[in-house]
Amino acid sequence: MPRALFTAAVLLGTSLSLAAPALAKTAYDGVWLFDEAPPTPGVTMMQVTSKGGKIEGTVTTQWYGPVEMLNPRVEDGALKFDTRNINDREHPTRPWSVAIEGGKAHLKGRIWESEVDASGYRGNTKDARARAFKFSPPLPALGAPIPSKLAATPPMGWSSWNKFAEHIDDKTVRAMADAMVSTGLRDAGYLYVNIDDGWQGKRGADGVLQPNEKFPDMKALTDYVHSRGLKIGIYSSQGPRTCAGYEGSYGHVMQDAQTYADWGFDYLKYDLCSGEWFYDEAATVKRSYYEMGAALQATGRDFIFSLCEYGRFDVGSWGRDVGGQLWRTTGDITDDYPTMAKIGFDKNGKPEWAGPHGFNDPDMLEIGNGGMSADEYRTHMTLWAMSAAPLMMGHDLRESTPETLAMLTNPRVIAVDQDAKGVQAKALRKHGTMEVWAKPLADGRVALALFNRGDAASSLALVPGDAGLTAVTQVQDVWSGTKSAKLPASYTVPARGAVMVVVGD
Ligand code: GLA
Protein backbone atom coordinates (compact mmCIF):
# COMPACT_ATOMS: atom_id res chain seq x y z
CA MET A 1 0.00 0.00 0.00
CA PRO A 2 1.62 3.27 -1.02
CA ARG A 3 2.52 5.54 1.89
CA ALA A 4 0.33 8.31 0.46
CA LEU A 5 -2.69 6.04 0.70
CA PHE A 6 -1.93 5.25 4.37
CA THR A 7 -1.68 8.94 5.05
CA ALA A 8 -4.87 9.69 3.21
CA ALA A 9 -6.65 6.97 5.19
CA VAL A 10 -5.37 8.45 8.44
CA LEU A 11 -6.37 11.96 7.49
CA LEU A 12 -9.83 10.85 6.54
CA GLY A 13 -10.10 8.96 9.81
CA THR A 14 -11.23 5.90 7.93
CA SER A 15 -10.04 2.35 7.59
CA LEU A 16 -8.21 1.30 4.48
CA SER A 17 -10.87 -1.21 3.58
CA LEU A 18 -13.42 1.55 2.99
CA ALA A 19 -11.33 2.96 0.18
CA ALA A 20 -11.57 -0.26 -1.80
CA PRO A 21 -14.49 -1.50 -3.89
CA ALA A 22 -16.47 -4.25 -2.18
CA LEU A 23 -16.91 -6.44 -5.25
CA ALA A 24 -15.06 -9.72 -4.73
CA LYS A 25 -13.08 -10.82 -7.76
CA THR A 26 -10.92 -13.67 -6.51
CA ALA A 27 -11.44 -16.30 -3.85
CA TYR A 28 -9.07 -14.28 -1.67
CA ASP A 29 -10.91 -10.99 -1.92
CA GLY A 30 -12.39 -9.55 1.22
CA VAL A 31 -11.64 -9.16 4.89
CA TRP A 32 -10.09 -12.05 6.81
CA LEU A 33 -9.81 -12.01 10.57
CA PHE A 34 -7.11 -13.72 12.62
CA ASP A 35 -7.66 -14.29 16.32
CA GLU A 36 -4.93 -16.70 17.20
CA ALA A 37 -1.93 -15.73 15.12
CA PRO A 38 1.46 -15.78 16.90
CA PRO A 39 1.96 -12.55 18.94
CA THR A 40 4.90 -11.58 16.80
CA PRO A 41 4.18 -9.88 14.45
CA GLY A 42 0.59 -10.31 15.68
CA VAL A 43 -1.46 -10.65 12.48
CA THR A 44 -5.01 -9.45 13.16
CA MET A 45 -6.44 -9.10 9.69
CA MET A 46 -5.82 -9.55 5.98
CA GLN A 47 -7.55 -7.45 3.34
CA VAL A 48 -7.51 -8.29 -0.35
CA THR A 49 -9.24 -6.44 -3.17
CA SER A 50 -9.00 -6.95 -6.88
CA LYS A 51 -10.09 -4.71 -9.66
CA GLY A 52 -9.53 -5.16 -13.38
CA GLY A 53 -7.35 -8.18 -12.68
CA LYS A 54 -5.09 -6.22 -10.34
CA ILE A 55 -4.83 -7.51 -6.79
CA GLU A 56 -3.98 -5.31 -3.83
CA GLY A 57 -3.83 -6.15 -0.18
CA THR A 58 -2.44 -5.72 3.29
CA VAL A 59 -1.73 -7.90 6.26
CA THR A 60 -2.44 -5.91 9.41
CA THR A 61 -0.07 -6.64 12.28
CA GLN A 62 0.22 -5.41 15.85
CA TRP A 63 3.95 -4.81 15.40
CA TYR A 64 4.12 -3.03 12.09
CA GLY A 65 0.61 -1.88 11.28
CA PRO A 66 -0.66 -2.72 7.79
CA VAL A 67 2.04 -4.50 5.81
CA GLU A 68 1.58 -4.05 2.08
CA MET A 69 1.41 -7.06 -0.23
CA LEU A 70 4.09 -6.60 -2.86
CA ASN A 71 3.50 -8.17 -6.27
CA PRO A 72 0.39 -10.11 -5.21
CA ARG A 73 -0.58 -12.78 -7.75
CA VAL A 74 -2.54 -16.03 -7.94
CA GLU A 75 -0.17 -18.86 -8.67
CA ASP A 76 -0.33 -22.65 -8.15
CA GLY A 77 -3.71 -22.40 -6.45
CA ALA A 78 -2.57 -19.86 -3.89
CA LEU A 79 -2.30 -16.11 -3.45
CA LYS A 80 1.41 -15.31 -3.42
CA PHE A 81 3.03 -12.03 -2.46
CA ASP A 82 6.11 -10.58 -0.79
CA THR A 83 6.46 -8.19 2.13
CA ARG A 84 9.17 -5.74 3.06
CA ASN A 85 11.55 -7.17 5.67
CA ILE A 86 13.22 -4.08 6.97
CA ASN A 87 15.93 -5.25 9.38
CA ASP A 88 17.35 -8.01 7.24
CA ARG A 89 19.79 -6.79 4.59
CA GLU A 90 20.20 -10.30 3.19
CA HIS A 91 16.45 -10.69 2.69
CA PRO A 92 14.95 -7.27 2.01
CA THR A 93 11.67 -9.00 1.16
CA ARG A 94 10.10 -12.30 2.21
CA PRO A 95 7.64 -14.53 0.32
CA TRP A 96 4.14 -15.19 1.72
CA SER A 97 1.22 -17.31 0.56
CA VAL A 98 -2.47 -17.71 1.24
CA ALA A 99 -4.41 -20.90 0.51
CA ILE A 100 -8.16 -21.18 1.00
CA GLU A 101 -8.91 -24.40 2.86
CA GLY A 102 -12.39 -25.29 4.18
CA GLY A 103 -13.51 -21.68 3.85
CA LYS A 104 -10.56 -20.39 5.85
CA ALA A 105 -7.55 -18.45 4.68
CA HIS A 106 -4.34 -20.17 5.60
CA LEU A 107 -1.64 -17.48 5.75
CA LYS A 108 2.02 -18.41 5.75
CA GLY A 109 5.05 -16.15 5.73
CA ARG A 110 7.90 -14.69 7.65
CA ILE A 111 8.87 -11.21 8.71
CA TRP A 112 12.16 -10.39 10.46
CA GLU A 113 12.52 -13.24 12.96
CA SER A 114 8.88 -14.28 13.15
CA GLU A 115 7.15 -17.08 11.29
CA VAL A 116 3.45 -16.71 10.56
CA ASP A 117 1.36 -19.83 10.04
CA ALA A 118 -2.20 -18.90 10.88
CA SER A 119 -5.78 -19.48 9.87
CA GLY A 120 -8.25 -16.64 9.32
CA TYR A 121 -12.01 -16.51 8.83
CA ARG A 122 -14.15 -14.14 6.79
CA GLY A 123 -15.15 -10.79 8.25
CA ASN A 124 -16.91 -7.70 6.93
CA THR A 125 -16.21 -4.00 6.58
CA LYS A 126 -17.38 -3.34 10.12
CA ASP A 127 -14.83 -5.83 11.44
CA ALA A 128 -12.24 -4.20 9.21
CA ARG A 129 -13.00 -0.81 10.70
CA ALA A 130 -12.75 -2.22 14.23
CA ARG A 131 -9.41 -3.87 13.50
CA ALA A 132 -7.91 -1.08 11.38
CA PHE A 133 -4.50 -0.10 12.67
CA LYS A 134 -4.62 3.24 14.44
CA PHE A 135 -1.87 5.43 13.06
CA SER A 136 -0.48 7.99 15.44
CA PRO A 137 -0.55 11.64 14.37
CA PRO A 138 2.41 12.83 12.28
CA LEU A 139 5.66 13.28 14.18
CA PRO A 140 6.26 16.80 15.46
CA ALA A 141 8.87 18.82 13.59
CA LEU A 142 12.31 19.13 15.10
CA GLY A 143 12.61 22.03 17.49
CA ALA A 144 15.63 23.58 19.15
CA PRO A 145 18.23 21.11 20.46
CA ILE A 146 17.22 19.84 23.90
CA PRO A 147 19.85 20.95 26.42
CA SER A 148 21.14 18.57 29.09
CA LYS A 149 23.04 19.15 32.27
CA LEU A 150 23.10 15.42 33.04
CA ALA A 151 25.80 12.82 32.39
CA ALA A 152 28.88 15.02 32.48
CA THR A 153 30.61 11.61 32.57
CA PRO A 154 29.33 8.29 31.17
CA PRO A 155 26.32 6.93 33.10
CA MET A 156 27.04 3.97 35.40
CA GLY A 157 24.63 1.43 36.79
CA TRP A 158 22.98 -1.91 36.21
CA SER A 159 20.38 -3.13 33.72
CA SER A 160 18.16 -6.19 33.91
CA TRP A 161 18.40 -7.32 30.29
CA ASN A 162 21.69 -9.23 29.89
CA LYS A 163 21.00 -11.58 32.80
CA PHE A 164 17.24 -11.67 33.25
CA ALA A 165 15.80 -10.69 29.86
CA GLU A 166 12.00 -10.57 30.34
CA HIS A 167 12.17 -12.51 33.60
CA ILE A 168 12.43 -9.42 35.73
CA ASP A 169 10.17 -8.39 38.59
CA ASP A 170 9.82 -5.93 41.44
CA LYS A 171 11.47 -8.25 43.94
CA THR A 172 14.57 -8.77 41.81
CA VAL A 173 14.94 -5.05 41.12
CA ARG A 174 14.81 -4.34 44.87
CA ALA A 175 17.35 -7.11 45.46
CA MET A 176 19.67 -5.56 42.89
CA ALA A 177 19.38 -2.18 44.60
CA ASP A 178 20.23 -3.83 47.92
CA ALA A 179 23.19 -5.64 46.37
CA MET A 180 24.45 -2.41 44.75
CA VAL A 181 24.73 -0.99 48.25
CA SER A 182 26.00 -4.03 50.16
CA THR A 183 28.71 -4.92 47.63
CA GLY A 184 30.08 -1.38 47.50
CA LEU A 185 29.12 -0.98 43.83
CA ARG A 186 27.04 2.10 44.59
CA ASP A 187 29.92 3.73 46.42
CA ALA A 188 32.22 2.86 43.52
CA GLY A 189 29.99 5.01 41.28
CA TYR A 190 27.26 2.72 39.92
CA LEU A 191 24.07 4.74 40.33
CA TYR A 192 21.24 3.61 38.03
CA VAL A 193 19.18 0.45 38.51
CA ASN A 194 17.46 0.01 35.15
CA ILE A 195 14.44 -2.10 34.31
CA ASP A 196 14.75 -3.13 30.66
CA ASP A 197 12.05 -4.80 28.57
CA GLY A 198 9.31 -6.90 30.16
CA TRP A 199 7.68 -4.66 32.78
CA GLN A 200 4.76 -3.49 30.63
CA GLY A 201 1.15 -4.55 31.05
CA LYS A 202 -1.89 -3.15 29.22
CA ARG A 203 -3.18 0.37 28.70
CA GLY A 204 -6.21 1.48 30.65
CA ALA A 205 -9.26 3.02 28.97
CA ASP A 206 -7.55 6.39 29.50
CA GLY A 207 -4.54 5.15 27.53
CA VAL A 208 -2.25 5.14 30.57
CA LEU A 209 0.10 2.18 30.46
CA GLN A 210 0.01 -0.07 33.50
CA PRO A 211 2.86 -2.33 34.57
CA ASN A 212 2.24 -6.09 34.41
CA GLU A 213 1.56 -8.22 37.47
CA LYS A 214 5.28 -8.60 38.21
CA PHE A 215 5.43 -4.90 39.11
CA PRO A 216 2.54 -4.29 41.51
CA ASP A 217 3.45 -0.72 42.46
CA MET A 218 5.92 1.26 40.39
CA LYS A 219 5.90 4.32 42.66
CA ALA A 220 6.69 2.17 45.70
CA LEU A 221 9.52 0.55 43.74
CA THR A 222 11.12 3.83 42.66
CA ASP A 223 10.76 5.13 46.23
CA TYR A 224 12.55 2.05 47.50
CA VAL A 225 15.42 2.36 45.01
CA HIS A 226 15.74 6.08 45.78
CA SER A 227 15.81 5.29 49.50
CA ARG A 228 18.97 3.27 48.85
CA GLY A 229 20.69 6.33 47.43
CA LEU A 230 20.26 5.11 43.86
CA LYS A 231 18.37 6.16 40.75
CA ILE A 232 16.09 4.02 38.61
CA GLY A 233 15.46 3.57 34.90
CA ILE A 234 12.75 2.20 32.63
CA TYR A 235 12.45 1.10 28.99
CA SER A 236 10.18 1.60 25.98
CA SER A 237 10.09 1.80 22.20
CA GLN A 238 8.59 4.30 19.77
CA GLY A 239 6.94 1.45 17.90
CA PRO A 240 3.68 -0.28 18.81
CA ARG A 241 5.71 -3.17 20.28
CA THR A 242 9.06 -3.34 22.08
CA CYS A 243 11.72 -5.80 21.01
CA ALA A 244 10.38 -8.48 23.34
CA GLY A 245 6.82 -7.85 22.12
CA TYR A 246 5.47 -5.69 24.94
CA GLU A 247 3.38 -2.54 24.56
CA GLY A 248 5.45 0.30 23.07
CA SER A 249 4.87 4.05 23.22
CA TYR A 250 3.49 4.44 19.68
CA GLY A 251 0.67 6.98 19.82
CA HIS A 252 1.25 7.57 23.55
CA VAL A 253 4.60 9.32 23.73
CA MET A 254 3.63 12.35 25.84
CA GLN A 255 1.43 10.24 28.04
CA ASP A 256 4.12 7.62 28.69
CA ALA A 257 6.78 10.22 29.49
CA GLN A 258 4.40 11.69 32.05
CA THR A 259 3.68 8.23 33.48
CA TYR A 260 7.41 7.55 33.96
CA ALA A 261 7.79 10.95 35.64
CA ASP A 262 4.77 10.36 37.88
CA TRP A 263 6.18 7.00 38.93
CA GLY A 264 9.52 8.65 39.78
CA PHE A 265 11.85 7.27 37.12
CA ASP A 266 15.15 8.97 36.30
CA TYR A 267 16.26 7.25 33.09
CA LEU A 268 14.61 6.00 29.89
CA LYS A 269 16.08 3.60 27.34
CA TYR A 270 14.14 4.05 24.11
CA ASP A 271 14.49 1.22 21.61
CA LEU A 272 13.55 1.46 17.93
CA CYS A 273 11.99 -2.04 17.77
CA SER A 274 8.91 -2.15 15.50
CA GLY A 275 9.29 1.62 15.19
CA GLU A 276 11.64 1.05 12.25
CA TRP A 277 8.59 0.23 10.11
CA PHE A 278 7.19 3.69 10.68
CA TYR A 279 10.45 5.64 11.00
CA ASP A 280 12.84 4.19 8.48
CA GLU A 281 14.94 7.09 7.34
CA ALA A 282 17.30 9.49 9.11
CA ALA A 283 14.79 12.34 9.35
CA THR A 284 11.92 10.31 10.83
CA VAL A 285 14.11 8.29 13.21
CA LYS A 286 15.61 11.51 14.52
CA ARG A 287 12.19 13.13 14.88
CA SER A 288 10.83 10.07 16.68
CA TYR A 289 13.61 10.37 19.27
CA TYR A 290 13.12 14.11 19.46
CA GLU A 291 9.44 13.53 20.17
CA MET A 292 10.28 11.47 23.27
CA GLY A 293 13.20 13.72 24.27
CA ALA A 294 10.87 16.72 24.22
CA ALA A 295 8.16 14.78 26.06
CA LEU A 296 10.60 13.88 28.83
CA GLN A 297 11.74 17.48 29.02
CA ALA A 298 8.13 18.67 29.23
CA THR A 299 7.60 16.60 32.40
CA GLY A 300 10.04 18.89 34.20
CA ARG A 301 11.76 15.84 35.70
CA ASP A 302 15.44 15.03 35.03
CA PHE A 303 15.80 11.97 32.83
CA ILE A 304 18.83 10.37 31.31
CA PHE A 305 17.66 9.57 27.77
CA SER A 306 19.34 6.48 26.32
CA LEU A 307 18.87 6.08 22.56
CA CYS A 308 18.84 2.51 21.31
CA GLU A 309 18.68 2.35 17.52
CA TYR A 310 21.86 0.29 17.00
CA GLY A 311 23.91 3.14 15.52
CA ARG A 312 21.73 3.82 12.49
CA PHE A 313 21.96 7.09 10.58
CA ASP A 314 25.14 8.21 12.39
CA VAL A 315 23.19 8.65 15.62
CA GLY A 316 26.17 10.25 17.40
CA SER A 317 25.93 13.25 15.10
CA TRP A 318 22.41 14.08 16.36
CA GLY A 319 21.93 12.13 19.61
CA ARG A 320 22.56 15.16 21.82
CA ASP A 321 20.17 17.38 19.87
CA VAL A 322 17.24 15.10 20.66
CA GLY A 323 18.08 15.17 24.37
CA GLY A 324 20.15 11.95 24.48
CA GLN A 325 23.09 11.46 26.81
CA LEU A 326 24.03 8.07 25.36
CA TRP A 327 23.26 6.27 22.15
CA ARG A 328 23.86 2.67 21.20
CA THR A 329 26.31 2.14 18.37
CA THR A 330 25.73 -1.56 17.75
CA GLY A 331 23.41 -4.53 17.86
CA ASP A 332 23.19 -6.52 21.07
CA ILE A 333 26.19 -7.74 23.02
CA THR A 334 26.29 -11.38 24.08
CA ASP A 335 28.46 -12.99 26.73
CA ASP A 336 31.25 -14.27 24.48
CA TYR A 337 34.60 -12.87 23.42
CA PRO A 338 34.04 -12.66 19.62
CA THR A 339 30.85 -10.60 19.98
CA MET A 340 32.22 -8.39 22.75
CA ALA A 341 35.44 -7.81 20.78
CA LYS A 342 33.62 -7.05 17.51
CA ILE A 343 31.51 -4.44 19.28
CA GLY A 344 34.17 -2.97 21.56
CA PHE A 345 37.01 -2.73 19.06
CA ASP A 346 35.21 -2.09 15.83
CA LYS A 347 31.70 -0.75 16.46
CA ASN A 348 32.04 1.55 19.43
CA GLY A 349 31.05 4.68 17.55
CA LYS A 350 32.94 7.66 16.18
CA PRO A 351 35.11 9.20 18.93
CA GLU A 352 34.36 12.69 17.66
CA TRP A 353 30.77 12.44 18.91
CA ALA A 354 31.70 11.49 22.49
CA GLY A 355 32.22 14.02 25.24
CA PRO A 356 30.65 15.36 28.42
CA HIS A 357 26.83 14.93 28.33
CA GLY A 358 26.87 12.65 25.28
CA PHE A 359 28.51 9.24 24.87
CA ASN A 360 28.69 6.42 22.36
CA ASP A 361 27.21 3.28 23.92
CA PRO A 362 28.65 -0.06 22.73
CA ASP A 363 26.06 -1.83 24.94
CA MET A 364 25.98 -3.15 28.48
CA LEU A 365 28.60 -5.12 30.36
CA GLU A 366 28.67 -8.92 30.50
CA ILE A 367 31.27 -9.12 33.28
CA GLY A 368 30.11 -11.61 35.91
CA ASN A 369 27.87 -13.61 33.57
CA GLY A 370 30.47 -16.33 33.13
CA GLY A 371 30.88 -16.61 29.35
CA MET A 372 34.37 -15.14 29.13
CA SER A 373 37.71 -15.81 30.80
CA ALA A 374 39.21 -13.40 33.33
CA ASP A 375 41.55 -12.01 30.64
CA GLU A 376 38.66 -11.58 28.19
CA TYR A 377 36.57 -9.75 30.80
CA ARG A 378 39.58 -7.58 31.63
CA THR A 379 39.71 -6.66 27.93
CA HIS A 380 35.96 -5.92 28.04
CA MET A 381 36.32 -3.56 31.02
CA THR A 382 39.52 -1.96 29.67
CA LEU A 383 37.93 -1.32 26.29
CA TRP A 384 34.80 0.22 27.79
CA ALA A 385 36.86 2.42 30.17
CA MET A 386 39.15 3.58 27.37
CA SER A 387 36.09 4.25 25.19
CA ALA A 388 34.41 6.47 27.81
CA ALA A 389 31.51 4.04 27.45
CA PRO A 390 28.55 3.90 29.82
CA LEU A 391 29.20 1.18 32.43
CA MET A 392 25.93 -0.68 32.81
CA MET A 393 26.49 -3.95 34.60
CA GLY A 394 24.48 -6.89 33.34
CA HIS A 395 24.91 -9.76 35.80
CA ASP A 396 23.09 -10.93 38.93
CA LEU A 397 24.71 -8.66 41.49
CA ARG A 398 23.83 -11.09 44.29
CA GLU A 399 26.15 -13.62 42.70
CA SER A 400 29.14 -11.32 42.21
CA THR A 401 32.37 -13.15 42.96
CA PRO A 402 35.22 -11.24 44.64
CA GLU A 403 37.02 -11.26 41.25
CA THR A 404 33.99 -9.76 39.48
CA LEU A 405 33.61 -7.07 42.14
CA ALA A 406 37.31 -6.26 42.04
CA MET A 407 37.11 -5.86 38.26
CA LEU A 408 34.00 -3.67 38.34
CA THR A 409 35.07 -1.46 41.26
CA ASN A 410 38.75 -0.87 40.50
CA PRO A 411 38.89 2.88 41.23
CA ARG A 412 41.66 3.60 38.74
CA VAL A 413 39.80 1.85 35.92
CA ILE A 414 36.61 3.73 36.78
CA ALA A 415 38.58 6.98 36.89
CA VAL A 416 39.75 6.42 33.30
CA ASP A 417 36.17 5.79 32.16
CA GLN A 418 34.79 8.71 34.16
CA ASP A 419 37.55 11.18 33.31
CA ALA A 420 36.12 14.69 33.10
CA LYS A 421 37.55 15.34 29.64
CA GLY A 422 35.20 12.66 28.30
CA VAL A 423 37.47 11.63 25.42
CA GLN A 424 36.85 8.32 23.68
CA ALA A 425 40.14 6.49 22.99
CA LYS A 426 41.33 5.79 19.48
CA ALA A 427 43.47 2.95 18.18
CA LEU A 428 46.86 4.50 17.38
CA ARG A 429 48.70 1.60 15.90
CA LYS A 430 48.41 -2.12 15.23
CA HIS A 431 51.17 -4.75 15.13
CA GLY A 432 50.03 -8.26 14.31
CA THR A 433 47.48 -9.12 16.96
CA MET A 434 48.43 -6.14 19.16
CA GLU A 435 46.68 -2.75 19.28
CA VAL A 436 47.72 0.42 21.12
CA TRP A 437 44.95 2.82 22.17
CA ALA A 438 45.31 6.28 23.74
CA LYS A 439 42.90 8.42 25.77
CA PRO A 440 44.01 11.90 26.89
CA LEU A 441 42.88 12.70 30.44
CA ALA A 442 41.74 15.94 32.03
CA ASP A 443 44.90 16.31 34.15
CA GLY A 444 47.18 16.22 31.11
CA ARG A 445 48.23 12.59 31.54
CA VAL A 446 47.28 9.95 28.96
CA ALA A 447 45.76 6.50 29.44
CA LEU A 448 47.31 3.93 27.11
CA ALA A 449 45.95 0.45 26.53
CA LEU A 450 47.68 -2.44 24.89
CA PHE A 451 45.29 -5.10 23.62
CA ASN A 452 46.22 -8.53 22.36
CA ARG A 453 43.46 -9.73 20.05
CA GLY A 454 45.27 -12.99 19.28
CA ASP A 455 45.07 -16.46 20.76
CA ALA A 456 48.67 -16.56 22.05
CA ALA A 457 50.56 -14.25 24.42
CA SER A 458 52.45 -11.49 22.64
CA SER A 459 54.85 -8.68 23.57
CA LEU A 460 55.08 -5.06 22.48
CA ALA A 461 56.68 -1.88 23.82
CA LEU A 462 54.77 1.27 24.60
CA VAL A 463 56.72 4.42 23.78
CA PRO A 464 56.29 8.05 24.94
CA GLY A 465 55.15 8.98 21.44
CA ASP A 466 52.03 6.82 21.95
CA ALA A 467 50.97 9.43 24.51
CA GLY A 468 52.12 12.33 22.31
CA LEU A 469 55.06 12.91 24.69
CA THR A 470 58.79 13.09 24.12
CA ALA A 471 59.58 11.56 27.51
CA VAL A 472 57.63 9.70 30.19
CA THR A 473 58.60 10.11 33.86
CA GLN A 474 55.54 8.62 35.55
CA VAL A 475 53.77 5.40 34.73
CA GLN A 476 50.96 3.80 36.69
CA ASP A 477 49.61 0.38 35.86
CA VAL A 478 45.88 1.02 36.02
CA TRP A 479 44.78 -2.49 36.98
CA SER A 480 47.42 -3.11 39.71
CA GLY A 481 48.15 0.46 40.78
CA THR A 482 51.91 -0.16 40.60
CA LYS A 483 53.89 3.00 39.86
CA SER A 484 57.25 3.43 38.16
CA ALA A 485 59.31 6.22 36.64
CA LYS A 486 59.65 4.76 33.15
CA LEU A 487 58.02 2.48 30.65
CA PRO A 488 59.37 -1.08 30.63
CA ALA A 489 61.24 -2.42 27.58
CA SER A 490 58.05 -4.24 26.58
CA TYR A 491 54.77 -5.60 27.90
CA THR A 492 53.74 -9.21 27.51
CA VAL A 493 49.97 -9.40 27.12
CA PRO A 494 48.14 -12.73 27.49
CA ALA A 495 45.92 -14.07 24.70
CA ARG A 496 42.81 -11.88 24.36
CA GLY A 497 44.10 -9.82 27.28
CA ALA A 498 44.82 -6.17 27.95
CA VAL A 499 47.24 -3.90 29.78
CA MET A 500 46.30 -0.35 30.75
CA VAL A 501 48.65 2.35 32.04
CA VAL A 502 48.41 6.05 32.73
CA VAL A 503 51.52 7.97 31.75
CA GLY A 504 52.72 11.53 32.24
CA ASP A 505 55.84 13.54 31.50
C1 GLA B 1 16.91 -4.82 22.07
C2 GLA B 1 18.00 -4.04 22.77
C3 GLA B 1 18.45 -4.80 24.00
C4 GLA B 1 17.26 -5.03 24.92
C5 GLA B 1 16.16 -5.75 24.17
C6 GLA B 1 14.89 -5.84 24.98
O1 GLA B 1 17.37 -6.02 21.55
O2 GLA B 1 19.08 -3.81 21.90
O3 GLA B 1 19.47 -4.09 24.67
O4 GLA B 1 16.81 -3.80 25.41
O5 GLA B 1 15.85 -5.08 22.97
O6 GLA B 1 13.88 -6.50 24.29
Side-chain angles (χ1 to χ4, degrees):
M1 182 76 46
R3 183 168 294 268
L5 199 45
F6 284 163
T7 313
V10 179
L11 292 176
L12 292 170
T14 178
S15 80
L16 291 167
S17 64
L18 296 182
L23 194 63
K25 298 279 177 57
T26 71
Y28 311 96
D29 276 58
V31 174
W32 298 89
L33 307 178
F34 294 78
D35 291 340
E36 281 163 15
T40 312
V43 173
T44 56
M45 174 166 68
M46 178 177 75
Q47 288 165 283
V48 180
T49 60
S50 56
K51 194 165 115 187
K54 191 172 179 303
I55 303 172
E56 284 185 352
T58 56
V59 176
T60 298
T61 69
Q62 290 167 334
W63 277 61
Y64 309 120
V67 174
E68 182 191 359
M69 293 180 181
L70 305 174
N71 187 25
R73 66 225 176 253
V74 178
E75 212 174 81
D76 304 329
L79 173 64
K80 304 248 173 102
F81 60 92
D82 299 309
T83 61
R84 286 201 301 163
N85 191 41
I86 284 191
N87 289 323
D88 187 345
R89 285 203 196 119
E90 275 176 40
H91 308 96
T93 62
R94 286 282 191 192
W96 291 60
S97 70
V98 182
I100 308 289
E101 291 160 3
K104 295 204 161 179
H106 190 185
L107 176 67
K108 279 178 95 157
R110 182 187 164 93
I111 204 160
W112 187 218
E113 291 175 341
S114 318
E115 298 282 350
V116 175
D117 186 344
S119 215
Y121 58 95
R122 277 202 180 274
N124 55 34
T125 49
K126 200 170 151 215
D127 299 318
R129 211 173 307 125
R131 293 191 183 209
F133 183 79
K134 289 179 190 57
F135 283 90
S136 68
L139 286 168
L142 287 179
I146 299 171
S148 168
K149 57 185 187 305
L150 300 176
T153 61
M156 292 173 66
W158 174 87
S159 160
S160 55
W161 187 255
N162 283 358
K163 174 70 186 179
F164 296 100
E166 305 160 55
H167 309 292
I168 185 67
D169 55 28
D170 175 286
K171 198 165 143 258
T172 308
V173 175
R174 287 173 192 247
M176 291 306 132
D178 292 344
M180 290 264 272
V181 178
S182 63
T183 54
L185 285 162
R186 179 194 65 185
D187 294 342
Y190 294 90
L191 185 61
Y192 290 90
V193 177
N194 291 347
I195 307 168
D196 206 280
D197 211 351
W199 64 268
Q200 309 89 330
K202 299 268 169 252
R203 292 189 185 278
D206 54 2
V208 174
L209 184 56
Q210 302 299 322
N212 59 38
E213 64 289 347
K214 294 188 293 173
F215 291 89
D217 187 341
M218 279 299 200
K219 182 71 177 76
L221 178 57
T222 66
D223 284 347
Y224 183 79
V225 172
H226 289 146
S227 78
R228 313 288 347 237
L230 296 162
K231 291 186 180 288
I232 180 161
I234 197 160
Y235 167 97
S236 191
S237 153
Q238 57 269 69
R241 290 284 182 272
T242 63
C243 299
Y246 291 81
E247 183 77 19
S249 291
Y250 187 83
H252 296 272
V253 172
M254 287 291 278
Q255 195 172 33
D256 285 359
Q258 191 57 52
T259 302
Y260 310 144
D262 293 345
W263 283 339
F265 281 95
D266 310 295
Y267 184 118
L268 174 69
K269 173 174 167 184
Y270 203 42
D271 199 336
L272 187 60
C273 265
S274 81
E276 75 273 25
W277 275 72
F278 303 88
Y279 314 127
D280 60 355
E281 48 198 38
T284 49
V285 170
K286 185 173 172 183
R287 279 164 64 198
S288 76
Y289 278 96
Y290 189 88
E291 182 182 32
M292 181 53 95
L296 292 173
Q297 187 192 33
T299 67
R301 189 175 172 86
D302 280 345
F303 278 91
I304 294 270
F305 187 30
S306 161
L307 278 49
C308 182
E309 49 85 279
Y310 333 111
R312 291 180 186 179
F313 307 117
D314 202 11
V315 59
S317 67
W318 50 266
R320 286 164 194 268
D321 296 348
V322 301
Q325 290 83 14
L326 63 160
W327 41 84
R328 277 273 293 278
T329 57
T330 73
D332 291 10
I333 195 167
T334 47
D335 188 20
D336 57 276
Y337 178 81
T339 306
M340 182 281 292
K342 188 172 100 193
I343 285 175
F345 285 111
D346 305 322
K347 297 192 165 211
N348 58 354
K350 289 186 194 157
E352 70 228 58
W353 305 131
H357 311 289
F359 297 94
N360 287 312
D361 173 12
D363 207 358
M364 303 171 286
L365 299 173
E366 291 283 7
I367 295 161
N369 279 331
M372 291 183 237
S373 70
D375 282 328
E376 292 167 349
Y377 278 142
R378 177 176 283 209
T379 293
H380 185 5
M381 189 73 185
T382 304
L383 253 178
W384 265 239
M386 291 294 288
S387 303
L391 298 178
M392 289 295 160
M393 299 178 290
H395 69 295
D396 185 339
L397 302 178
R398 295 166 297 193
E399 293 170 3
S400 303
T401 61
E403 294 73 26
T404 293
L405 282 179
M407 187 171 283
L408 290 166
T409 60
N410 184 308
R412 294 171 300 277
V413 176
I414 290 180
V416 170
D417 179 76
Q418 294 287 299
D419 183 74
K421 206 173 167 90
V423 174
Q424 177 173 331
K426 284 188 194 153
L428 292 180
R429 55 191 175 98
K430 300 183 184 184
H431 294 271
T433 65
M434 304 288 268
E435 293 190 10
V436 177
W437 289 48
K439 171 172 162 54
L441 303 177
D443 66 4
R445 295 184 302 157
V446 178
L448 296 177
L450 190 51
F451 295 104
N452 179 4
R453 297 181 68 174
D455 292 331
S458 186
S459 300
L460 191 75
L462 290 176
V463 296
D466 291 330
L469 301 172
T470 46
V472 160
T473 62
Q474 33 164 332
V475 180
Q476 182 168 34
D477 183 287
V478 177
W479 280 105
S480 70
T482 308
K483 289 183 175 172
S484 62
K486 61 179 178 106
L487 285 162
S490 76
Y491 285 96
T492 299
V493 187
R496 296 179 169 187
V499 162
M500 180 164 41
V501 294
V502 169
V503 300
D505 56 6

